[in-house]
Amino acid sequence: MTADFHLHTFLCRHAIGSPVDYARVAVEKGLREIGFADHNPMRVEFDDWRMSIDDLPRYIELVEQARETFPQLAIRLGLECDFIAGNERWIEELASMADWDFLIGSVHYIAPGWDVDNPKHVSRFHEMPVAEIWSMYWKAYEACIRSGLFDFVAHPDLPKKFGFRPDGDLRRFYEPSIAALAEKNIAFEINTAGLRKPIGEVYPALNFLKLARAANIPLLINSDAHEPNEVAADFGKADAIAREAGYSETARFEKRTRRLVAL
Ligand SMILES: [Zn+2]
Ligand SMILES: [Zn+2]
């Protein structure tokens, strides 16, 4: 009964494959439900790794075509939205532009022009204390959650991607976001893309998962696939980590309503 609610498409300009290609792999792997979540368009061109606003109708149409091609698969329509303080109105506008099943909130930008997971900025981890970079990220992540604009938030400890982590107990970074998730009743994901990156582990760390479980925060397990063969990648590992943290259910979304399904 596996689902994967974080799939990209060629329309975001750094992934390959159409919705129908991802759906085919999902069916082959025995999934019952998937969700597309391409990087959200901005009002005007913003960077080189997201969908153009002109492509939004095409995105919706391609997801619809995948639904028609694979009626045995539940295919949900979503977006992975960058949370950027001051840009909330645009997200609200986007939310009204389609019949979304879910919206994901993500933090990639921790300062203007600095997407923390972009390899072209990796040298910055040597130019300032890693703890400072993490503080910037987690402050933005908490604000993303508290905006209340999203159904779940993506890859919680993304700034570990290249292997840079502050010293000591990292729960000091996680706790404000866990509290915000609990207060706003918002879910989060285990994202297996981290296993395909230098850090070589899922987002988030086990200690984040344990805190989230204790606070009863709903969980999803997602691949963040950027090519069709990454659908449900490493779900066995993610499942084991979720269970280790005490989870026994995962969340799904339809028309922005959450339901829980046994792991
Ligand atoms: Zn991407
Ligand atoms: Zn992302």
Side-chain angles (χ1 to χ4, degrees):
M1 283 295 282
T2 316
D4 190 345
F5 268 75
H6 192 155
L7 307 178
H8 292 277
T9 80
F10 74 95
L11 288 172
C12 69
R13 298 176 282 182
H14 67 282
I16 56 168
S18 271
V20 72
D21 303 315
Y22 288 85
R24 185 176 301 111
V25 175
V27 168
E28 283 166 9
K29 292 190 174 176
L31 273 65
R32 303 284 294 276
E33 191 164 351
I34 58 171
F36 287 95
D38 228 340
H39 295 283
N40 70 295
M42 295 293 193
R43 210 185 292 273
V44 292
E45 288 299 305
F46 183 79
D47 55 26
D48 61 359
W49 52 268
R50 70 187 59 250
M51 190 195 305
S52 151
I53 188 66
D54 299 329
D55 280 331
L56 186 58
R58 193 172 169 207
Y59 175 58
I60 295 164
E61 195 180 299
L62 289 171
V63 170
E64 189 51 46
Q65 280 174 18
R67 285 173 172 155
E68 285 163 18
T69 309
F70 295 99
Q72 68 273 49
L73 186 65
I75 302 182
R76 310 298 180 200
L77 179 68
L79 278 180
E80 177 181 6
C81 301
D82 271 89
F83 176 79
I84 295 170
N87 202 36
E88 293 87 344
R89 285 290 300 278
W90 173 239
I91 303 295
E92 285 170 3
E93 277 183 55
L94 276 175
S96 69
M97 285 183 194
D99 198 7
W100 305 110
D101 289 305
F102 64 102
L103 294 179
I104 310 180
S106 278
V107 171
H108 301 99
Y109 286 93
I110 62 169
W114 184 1
D115 33 351
V116 74
D117 61 325
N118 194 325
K120 76 182 176 198
H121 300 306
V122 70
S123 64
R124 298 202 191 197
F125 284 91
H126 301 289
E127 290 160 8
M128 64 192 282
V130 173
E132 224 168 282
I133 297 173
W134 272 53
S135 291
M136 291 165 73
Y137 173 83
W138 286 100
K139 203 174 151 217
Y141 202 69
E142 184 189 351
C144 173
I145 296 162
R146 291 196 182 279
S147 74
L149 291 165
F150 309 110
D151 301 297
F152 70 93
V153 285
H155 40 62
D157 54 359
L158 181 66
K160 75 180 177 185
K161 173 177 175 177
F162 303 112
F164 299 98
R165 274 184 288 219
D167 295 330
D169 189 335
L170 298 176
R171 284 179 288 196
R172 68 189 192 275
F173 294 99
Y174 311 151
E175 277 159 351
S177 285
I178 300 287
L181 287 167
E183 282 168 43
K184 304 297 281 189
N185 187 24
I186 289 169
F188 75 105
E189 65 172 6
I190 291 181
N191 180 311
T192 63
L195 289 162
R196 311 191 288 275
K197 299 297 181 328
I199 186 69
E201 57 182 62
V202 299
Y203 310 108
L206 181 60
N207 271 345
F208 184 105
L209 281 163
K210 286 180 174 170
L211 288 173
R213 180 68 203 95
N216 212 18
I217 315 292
L219 168 76
L220 294 90
I221 295 177
N222 293 327
S223 70
D224 204 349
H226 281 67
E227 49 183 273
N229 65 20
E230 290 173 352
V231 171
D234 295 306
F235 271 23
K237 284 182 194 169
D239 197 275
I241 294 164
R243 287 175 196 279
E244 188 179 346
Y247 277 95
S248 57
E249 292 175 316
T250 55
R252 314 248 175 117
F253 292 90
E254 183 177 3
K255 309 277 187 226
R256 307 205 64 184
T257 298
R258 185 174 72 213
R259 72 183 196 283
L260 295 173
V261 175
L263 247 181

CSV table of all heavy atoms in Angstrom, one decimal, residues 67-86:
chain,number,residue,atom,x,y,z
A,67,ARG,N,-3.5,10.2,-15.4
A,67,ARG,CA,-4.7,9.6,-14.8
A,67,ARG,C,-5.5,8.8,-15.7
A,67,ARG,O,-6.0,7.7,-15.4
A,67,ARG,CB,-5.6,10.7,-14.2
A,67,ARG,CG,-5.1,11.3,-12.9
A,67,ARG,CD,-5.9,12.5,-12.6
A,67,ARG,NE,-5.5,13.1,-11.2
A,67,ARG,CZ,-5.7,14.3,-10.9
A,67,ARG,NH1,-6.3,15.2,-11.7
A,67,ARG,NH2,-5.3,14.7,-9.7
A,68,GLU,N,-5.7,9.3,-17.0
A,68,GLU,CA,-6.4,8.6,-18.0
A,68,GLU,C,-5.7,7.3,-18.4
A,68,GLU,O,-6.3,6.3,-18.7
A,68,GLU,CB,-6.7,9.5,-19.2
A,68,GLU,CG,-7.8,10.5,-18.8
A,68,GLU,CD,-7.9,11.7,-19.8
A,68,GLU,OE1,-7.3,11.5,-20.9
A,68,GLU,OE2,-8.4,12.7,-19.4
A,69,THR,N,-4.4,7.4,-18.5
A,69,THR,CA,-3.6,6.2,-19.0
A,69,THR,C,-3.5,5.1,-17.9
A,69,THR,O,-3.5,3.9,-18.3
A,69,THR,CB,-2.2,6.7,-19.4
A,69,THR,OG1,-2.3,7.8,-20.2
A,69,THR,CG2,-1.4,5.6,-20.1
A,70,PHE,N,-3.5,5.5,-16.7
A,70,PHE,CA,-3.4,4.5,-15.6
A,70,PHE,C,-4.5,4.7,-14.6
A,70,PHE,O,-4.3,5.1,-13.4
A,70,PHE,CB,-2.0,4.6,-14.9
A,70,PHE,CG,-0.8,4.3,-15.8
A,70,PHE,CD1,-0.1,5.3,-16.4
A,70,PHE,CD2,-0.5,3.0,-16.1
A,70,PHE,CE1,0.9,5.0,-17.3
A,70,PHE,CE2,0.5,2.7,-16.9
A,70,PHE,CZ,1.3,3.7,-17.6
A,71,PRO,N,-5.7,4.3,-15.0
A,71,PRO,CA,-6.8,4.5,-14.0
A,71,PRO,C,-6.7,3.7,-12.8
A,71,PRO,O,-7.4,4.0,-11.8
A,71,PRO,CB,-8.0,4.1,-14.9
A,71,PRO,CG,-7.5,3.2,-16.0
A,71,PRO,CD,-6.1,3.7,-16.2
A,72,GLN,N,-5.9,2.6,-12.8
A,72,GLN,CA,-5.7,1.8,-11.6
A,72,GLN,C,-4.9,2.5,-10.5
A,72,GLN,O,-4.8,2.0,-9.3
A,72,GLN,CB,-5.1,0.4,-11.9
A,72,GLN,CG,-3.6,0.5,-12.4
A,72,GLN,CD,-3.5,0.7,-13.9
A,72,GLN,OE1,-4.0,1.6,-14.4
A,72,GLN,NE2,-2.6,-0.1,-14.5
A,73,LEU,N,-4.3,3.6,-10.8
A,73,LEU,CA,-3.4,4.3,-9.9
A,73,LEU,C,-4.1,5.6,-9.5
A,73,LEU,O,-4.6,6.4,-10.4
A,73,LEU,CB,-2.1,4.6,-10.7
A,73,LEU,CG,-0.9,5.2,-9.9
A,73,LEU,CD1,-0.4,4.3,-8.9
A,73,LEU,CD2,0.2,5.6,-10.9
A,74,ALA,N,-4.1,5.9,-8.2
A,74,ALA,CA,-4.6,7.2,-7.8
A,74,ALA,C,-3.5,8.2,-8.0
A,74,ALA,O,-2.4,8.1,-7.4
A,74,ALA,CB,-5.0,7.1,-6.3
A,75,ILE,N,-3.7,9.2,-8.8
A,75,ILE,CA,-2.7,10.2,-9.1
A,75,ILE,C,-3.2,11.6,-8.6
A,75,ILE,O,-4.2,12.1,-9.0
A,75,ILE,CB,-2.4,10.3,-10.6
A,75,ILE,CG1,-2.0,8.9,-11.1
A,75,ILE,CG2,-1.4,11.3,-10.9
A,75,ILE,CD1,-1.6,8.8,-12.6
A,76,ARG,N,-2.4,12.1,-7.6
A,76,ARG,CA,-2.7,13.4,-7.0
A,76,ARG,C,-1.9,14.5,-7.6
A,76,ARG,O,-0.7,14.3,-8.0
A,76,ARG,CB,-2.5,13.3,-5.5
A,76,ARG,CG,-3.1,12.1,-4.8
A,76,ARG,CD,-4.6,12.0,-4.9
A,76,ARG,NE,-5.1,10.8,-4.3
A,76,ARG,CZ,-6.3,10.3,-4.5
A,76,ARG,NH1,-7.1,10.8,-5.4
A,76,ARG,NH2,-6.7,9.2,-3.8
A,77,LEU,N,-2.5,15.7,-7.6
A,77,LEU,CA,-1.9,16.9,-8.2
A,77,LEU,C,-1.4,17.8,-7.1
A,77,LEU,O,-2.2,18.2,-6.2
A,77,LEU,CB,-2.9,17.6,-9.1
A,77,LEU,CG,-2.4,18.9,-9.7
A,77,LEU,CD1,-1.4,18.6,-10.8
A,77,LEU,CD2,-3.6,19.6,-10.4
A,78,GLY,N,-0.1,18.1,-7.1
A,78,GLY,CA,0.4,19.0,-6.1
A,78,GLY,C,1.5,19.9,-6.6
A,78,GLY,O,1.8,19.9,-7.8
A,79,LEU,N,2.1,20.7,-5.7
A,79,LEU,CA,3.2,21.5,-6.1
A,79,LEU,C,4.2,21.5,-4.9
A,79,LEU,O,3.7,21.4,-3.7
A,79,LEU,CB,2.8,23.0,-6.3
A,79,LEU,CG,2.2,23.4,-7.6
A,79,LEU,CD1,1.9,24.9,-7.5
A,79,LEU,CD2,3.2,23.2,-8.8
A,80,GLU,N,5.4,21.6,-5.1
A,80,GLU,CA,6.4,21.8,-4.1
A,80,GLU,C,6.7,23.3,-4.1
A,80,GLU,O,7.3,23.8,-5.1
A,80,GLU,CB,7.7,21.0,-4.3
A,80,GLU,CG,8.8,21.4,-3.2
A,80,GLU,CD,10.1,20.6,-3.3
A,80,GLU,OE1,10.3,19.9,-4.3
A,80,GLU,OE2,10.9,20.7,-2.4
A,81,CYS,N,6.2,24.0,-3.1
A,81,CYS,CA,6.3,25.5,-3.1
A,81,CYS,C,7.5,26.0,-2.2
A,81,CYS,O,7.6,25.6,-1.1
A,81,CYS,CB,5.0,26.1,-2.6
A,81,CYS,SG,3.6,25.6,-3.5
A,82,ASP,N,8.3,26.8,-2.8
A,82,ASP,CA,9.4,27.5,-2.0
A,82,ASP,C,8.7,28.5,-1.1
A,82,ASP,O,8.0,29.4,-1.5
A,82,ASP,CB,10.4,28.2,-2.9
A,82,ASP,CG,11.5,27.2,-3.3
A,82,ASP,OD1,11.3,26.5,-4.3
A,82,ASP,OD2,12.5,27.1,-2.5
A,83,PHE,N,9.0,28.3,0.2
A,83,PHE,CA,8.6,29.4,1.1
A,83,PHE,C,9.6,30.5,1.2
A,83,PHE,O,10.8,30.2,1.5
A,83,PHE,CB,8.4,28.8,2.6
A,83,PHE,CG,8.0,29.9,3.5
A,83,PHE,CD1,6.7,30.4,3.6
A,83,PHE,CD2,9.0,30.5,4.3
A,83,PHE,CE1,6.4,31.5,4.4
A,83,PHE,CE2,8.6,31.6,5.2
A,83,PHE,CZ,7.3,32.0,5.2
A,84,ILE,N,9.2,31.7,0.8
A,84,ILE,CA,10.1,32.8,0.9
A,84,ILE,C,9.3,33.9,1.6
A,84,ILE,O,8.2,34.3,1.1
A,84,ILE,CB,10.5,33.2,-0.5
A,84,ILE,CG1,11.4,32.1,-1.2
A,84,ILE,CG2,11.3,34.6,-0.5
A,84,ILE,CD1,11.7,32.3,-2.6
A,85,ALA,N,9.8,34.4,2.7
A,85,ALA,CA,9.0,35.4,3.4
A,85,ALA,C,8.7,36.6,2.5
A,85,ALA,O,9.6,37.1,1.8
A,85,ALA,CB,9.9,35.9,4.7
A,86,GLY,N,7.5,37.0,2.6
A,86,GLY,CA,7.1,38.2,1.7
A,86,GLY,C,6.4,37.7,0.4
A,86,GLY,O,5.7,38.5,-0.2
